[in-house]
């Protein structure tokens, strides 16, 4: 990871870039859907820690079916041990899923106190800063990338666009010290999430498939959340009540699979920053669609919401311009 951009993505036409952007948006749209499902599950169970574990565990069950009961899954899972022995994958890459568990915990611990809007801005800022840093140090599979003015401007524009999109919900937000300390949690969750995607991309490149990386993400995340939930039970006492029977309360895990697996592939194609920004745009678009079609209590959709969401797409294009122009020049 010492050379500058040793494995830049190949030259691509604008049509291909548009296709990649659409894939990023679709992957990002899975997250607000997952958040809405997990929120309903948390309300039904009365235990956000249990809801987070169930979400991860259902994802793990699906990945077990894919990884061990399909020919392609077994074939790619068999590449894990050789990749670790050769050094292409470090053993600690397999723990990247703990970041996903930590991210879910930041949701359950802070959204009720700082609100969804502030949480979103903090997470996106963390993802954007993380994307810049992890690309710069070469944590992702595409190697080190220069911090060009266009990439920096696109990243800054993303944060501004998200803040604008959620600005109607920021009115009257308290700015006490406790509030500022709580904001650090989602910021760190977003920052680490960008690193998680970088490591997933490295694994996907080594295995030539996102299946093993996605499986280990859900395995590590499930183990962490199960531990946290057990500690919570010991401290608070009591046992969980009856689980809901509505089937769609349990699709949060499969939606997470879409985000993690597709994100791991995207990182191998466009790098950590562009993948993170594209999926951020998808998250805002998905949230906007949900608020228009099936609005949740407290949902606010204004001109700022729509224009801020549109600006995130512009930001992705701006940050991608150096790679686009490099491709045209070849």
């Amino acid at each position: 990871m010492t050379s500058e951009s040793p494995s830049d993505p190949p030259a691509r036409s604008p049509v291909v870039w548009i296709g990649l952007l659409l894939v990023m948006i679709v992957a990002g749209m899975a997250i607000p859907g997952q958040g809405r499902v997990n929120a309903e599950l948390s309300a039904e169970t009365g235990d956000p820690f249990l809801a987070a574990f169930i979400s991860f565990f259902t994802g793990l069950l699906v990945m077990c079916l894919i990884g061990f009961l399909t020919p392609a899954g077994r074939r790619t899972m068999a590449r894990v041990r050789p990749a670790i022995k050769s050094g292409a994958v470090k053993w600690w890459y397999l723990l990247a899923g703990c970041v996903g568990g930590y991210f879910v915990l930041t949701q359950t611990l802070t959204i009720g106190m700082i609100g969804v809007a502030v949480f979103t801005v903090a997470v996106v800022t963390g993802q954007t800063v993380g994307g810049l840093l992890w690309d710069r140090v070469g944590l992702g599979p595409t190697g080190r990338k220069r911090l060009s003015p266009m990439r920096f401007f696109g990243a800054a524009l993303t944060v501004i666009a998200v803040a604008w999109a959620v600005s109607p919900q920021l009115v009257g937000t308290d700015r006490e010290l406790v509030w500022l300390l709580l904001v650090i949690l989602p910021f760190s969750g977003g920052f680490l999430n960008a690193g998680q995607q970088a490591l997933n991309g490295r694994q996907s490149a080594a295995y030539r498939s996102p299946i093993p990386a996605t499986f280990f993400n859900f395995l590590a995340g499930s183990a962490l959340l199960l531990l946290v939930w057990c500690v919570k039970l010991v401290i608070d006492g009591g046992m969980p009540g009856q689980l809901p029977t509505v089937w769609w309360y349990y699709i949060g895990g499969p939606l997470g699979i879409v985000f993690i697996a597709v994100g791991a592939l995207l990182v191998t194609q466009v790098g950590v920053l562009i993948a993170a920004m594209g999926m951020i745009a998808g998250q805002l678009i998905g949230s906007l669609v949900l608020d228009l079609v099936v609005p949740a209590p407290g949902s606010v959709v204004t001109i700022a919401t729509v224009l801020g969401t549109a600006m995130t797409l512009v930001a992705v294009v701006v940050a991608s311009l150096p790679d686009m122009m490099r491709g045209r020049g070849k």
Side-chain angles (χ1 to χ4, degrees):
M1 296 190 296
T2 57
S3 61
E4 199 77 34
S5 300
S7 50
D8 280 333
R12 299 187 181 94
S13 68
V15 174
V16 174
W17 275 104
I18 293 174
L20 287 170
L21 177 58
L22 291 176
V23 174
M24 296 180 216
I25 291 173
V26 170
M29 290 178 68
I31 290 302
Q34 182 191 46
R36 184 71 67 86
V37 170
N38 287 347
E40 294 290 341
L41 180 60
S42 177
E44 285 292 319
T45 59
D47 187 340
F49 293 92
L50 175 60
F53 168 69
I54 291 175
S55 178
F56 260 76
F57 188 67
T58 54
L60 176 61
L61 292 178
V62 173
M63 288 311 304
C64 285
L65 296 176
I66 295 174
F68 299 106
L69 296 184
T70 65
R74 290 193 298 270
R75 188 166 54 249
T76 57
M77 292 298 292
R79 297 171 186 158
V80 174
R81 183 173 294 180
I84 294 177
K85 283 186 175 180
S86 69
V89 172
K90 308 297 183 183
W91 68 267
W92 53 271
Y93 290 5
L94 307 183
L95 302 178
C98 292
V99 172
Y102 173 73
F103 181 79
V104 171
L105 287 178
T106 65
Q107 289 179 315
T108 61
L109 293 173
T110 64
I111 284 183
M113 301 182 69
I114 65 178
V116 176
V118 175
F119 178 87
T120 302
V121 174
V123 167
V124 167
T125 304
Q127 288 175 322
T128 306
V129 173
L132 286 169
L133 176 64
W134 302 132
D135 265 351
R136 187 66 187 91
V137 302
L139 185 64
T142 57
R144 297 178 63 181
K145 289 182 172 289
R146 295 180 180 86
L147 183 58
S148 66
M150 294 301 288
R151 288 170 63 84
F152 183 83
F153 178 68
L157 190 61
T158 297
V159 177
I160 294 172
V162 173
W164 187 19
V166 301
S167 60
Q169 303 172 55
L170 292 173
V171 178
T173 302
D174 194 3
R175 297 297 195 277
E176 295 178 355
L177 178 61
V178 174
W179 183 92
L180 294 175
L181 293 176
L182 287 173
V183 168
I184 294 175
L185 290 176
F187 173 86
S188 63
F191 181 83
L192 294 174
N193 176 257
Q196 176 191 15
Q197 293 287 8
L199 295 180
N200 288 343
R202 276 191 171 271
Q203 292 184 70
S204 296
Y207 309 140
R208 303 192 301 279
S209 168
I211 292 176
T214 306
F215 167 77
F216 285 112
N217 266 251
F218 279 94
L219 178 62
S222 296
L224 174 64
L225 289 170
L226 177 61
L227 176 62
V228 172
W229 180 56
C230 289
V231 171
K232 182 252 185 188
L233 287 181
V234 171
I235 295 175
D236 291 349
M239 289 298 291
Q242 187 175 1
L243 295 177
T245 57
V246 180
W247 67 269
W248 60 266
Y249 285 166
Y250 300 95
I251 66 172
L255 288 172
I257 290 175
V258 174
F259 178 78
I260 293 175
V262 177
L265 286 176
L266 286 170
V267 168
T268 66
Q269 299 297 311
V270 298
V272 183
L273 176 64
I274 303 302
M277 290 172 57
M279 289 188 287
I280 286 168
Q283 291 176 49
L284 287 185
I285 292 172
S287 297
L288 179 60
V289 171
L290 283 175
D291 286 343
L292 290 174
V293 178
V294 283
S299 298
V300 178
V301 177
T302 66
I303 294 297
T305 308
V306 176
L307 294 181
T309 299
M311 187 184 289
T312 60
L313 298 175
V314 176
V316 177
V317 174
V318 169
S320 303
L321 281 177
D323 289 335
M324 290 183 184
M325 298 307 295
R326 180 189 60 79
R328 290 183 64 183
K330 290 189 176 183

